[in-house]
Amino acid sequence: MTRDRSKALYTAARKVIPGGVNSPVRAFRGVGGDPLFIQRGQGPYIWDADGHRYIDYVMSWGPLVLGHAPEPVIEAIREQAGRGTSYGAPTELETQLAELVISLVPSVEMVRFVNSGTEATMSALRLARAYTNRSKIVKFAGHYHGHADMLLVQAGSGVATLGLPDSPGVPAGAVQDTLTLPFNDLPAVEQLFAQFPDQIAAIILEPVVGNMGFVPPQPGYLQGLRDLTRKHGALLIFDEVMTGFRVSLGGAQARYGVMPDLTTLGKVIGGGLPVGAYGGRAEIMQTVAPSGPMYQAGTLSGNPLAMTAGLVTLREWSKPGVFERTEAATQTLVSGIADIARHCGIPIQAGSAGTMFGYFFTSQPVTDYASARTSDTARFARHFHALLDRRIYTAPSQFEAGFTSAAHTPDIIEQTLDAFRVTLPALAAVPS
Ligand SMILES: *Cc1c(COP(=O)(O)O)cnc(C)c1O
């Protein structure tokens, strides 16, 4: 299978865009080879520039819960575009999306829309610091919260793939108040509160991690964080940019029954257009300007095209049975992959939560960043390319999660497992 046109487009792109891409992981550095340039998407499929069709498990890194180009969303975007793309003044659409988000995400009473997940976490942390009048924030190794300076410490995702401990250009001062701990280790959190009494403004985390590969919380861990933050007067922030509307309709907080003070959202909430949001208890959110003194703004925030895409996506996604069917398809996929791997003697750790999943090529249980890194990434890279040759498009990095959509019907899942029935035994034949 030749990918000459993708290759040529990549060569042209590299001359005018750093690395040829506008977000690092897209460049395939974690698996080697050249990235596919995409021409179009429909349902569970994408087509590359050479006309090959693939079943897609990246889904734009999570947002596309209805699949590519879902008719109701595209129609609504078209209609709105005819009325203008931005006004810089309030619209009814913003209130409608806010009301829908509040009805779905249990801890959110008020919400502010921004343009990306990065903006959402930056703003939520500013809010936490303003509200508590404290400076320090706690994050976990391997958790990714966007590319704001203060959060580029032991971040997962592209930073993990590229093996950068940090990024040049981030001044020491920007991260001096960022404390980093291993995930799923409550005693470590307790110790930190003892070490920095009355100084910690907030703990921010991915309640189900997707940016060091898929790593769920241990039973009781999220509740433990809730208890500790409450006891020490710090806010608990769930970064649900990835998990929101994905691990359940109400996000990780609804799935695990633990309510954070603040929640950040992104990806799904924009239905494939650029949106982020942060929300939480009204009493805290009233600190945000112009209600309160904490400044945060955006020229295109609440953009009518993005609001429309988010609204229609969430309305369709929350119709009875849609999420449940997609969750069931995801479980079939993951248990199928695990069974095939076990059958041919390949050590694997596979799991899913709702419509998000992942697998590591390791015999060790994966609970944090250190154990995630025991995965055989060379084996992952070989397997990635074998899947690609069988027209299955997965994240080009071990340290990313996979995503399904309502368009991933049982038939599509079965076709995918047929590919794994070929690629995994072939992988077992090669020493890792
Ligand atoms: C993707 C992601 C972000 C960053 O969102 P962008 O829209 O890429 O800025 C933040 N947090 C989590 C958990 C994410 O998965």
Side-chain angles (χ1 to χ4, degrees), residues 114-176:
V114 293
N115 300 291
S116 67
T118 295
E119 271 188 69
T121 58
M122 260 172 57
S123 307
L125 285 166
R126 184 182 303 147
L127 175 55
R129 284 166 159 167
Y131 181 79
T132 59
N133 201 22
R134 297 176 177 184
S135 301
K136 297 207 182 298
I137 55 170
V138 179
K139 77 178 286 291
F140 297 97
H143 292 220
Y144 180 67
H145 305 293
H147 65 88
D149 280 357
M150 64 186 160
L151 290 163
L152 278 185
V153 189
Q154 295 195 45
S157 193
V159 190
T161 304
L162 296 171
L164 305 175
D166 238 323
S167 170
V170 174
V175 294
Q176 72 185 12

Side-chain angles (χ1 to χ4, degrees), residues 2 17 22 62 83 108 111-112 120 136 148 175 178 192-193 207 218 240 254 282 284 313 359-360 368 372 375 378 427:
T2 62
I17 298 168
N22 285 302
R83 291 192 292 269
V108 173
V111 63
R112 166 61 63 84
K136 297 207 182 298
V175 294
T178 306
L192 204 66
F193 274 117
Q218 303 278 74
E240 299 229 40
I284 303 174
T313 297
Y359 47 86
F360 294 94
D368 60 9
S375 186
L427 200 64

Side-chain angles (χ1 to χ4, degrees), residues 23 61 115-121 143-147 151 157 204-211 238-243 264-267 274-276 356 400 403:
S23 199
W61 302 96
N115 300 291
S116 67
T118 295
E119 271 188 69
T121 58
H143 292 220
Y144 180 67
H145 305 293
H147 65 88
L151 290 163
S157 193
I204 186 168
L205 75 151
E206 294 183 65
V208 178
V209 194
N211 285 295
F238 279 5
D239 180 356
E240 299 229 40
V241 168
M242 186 183 285
T243 55
T264 53
L265 297 164
K267 299 194 167 105
V275 190
M356 171 178 162
E400 302 288 349
F403 304 100

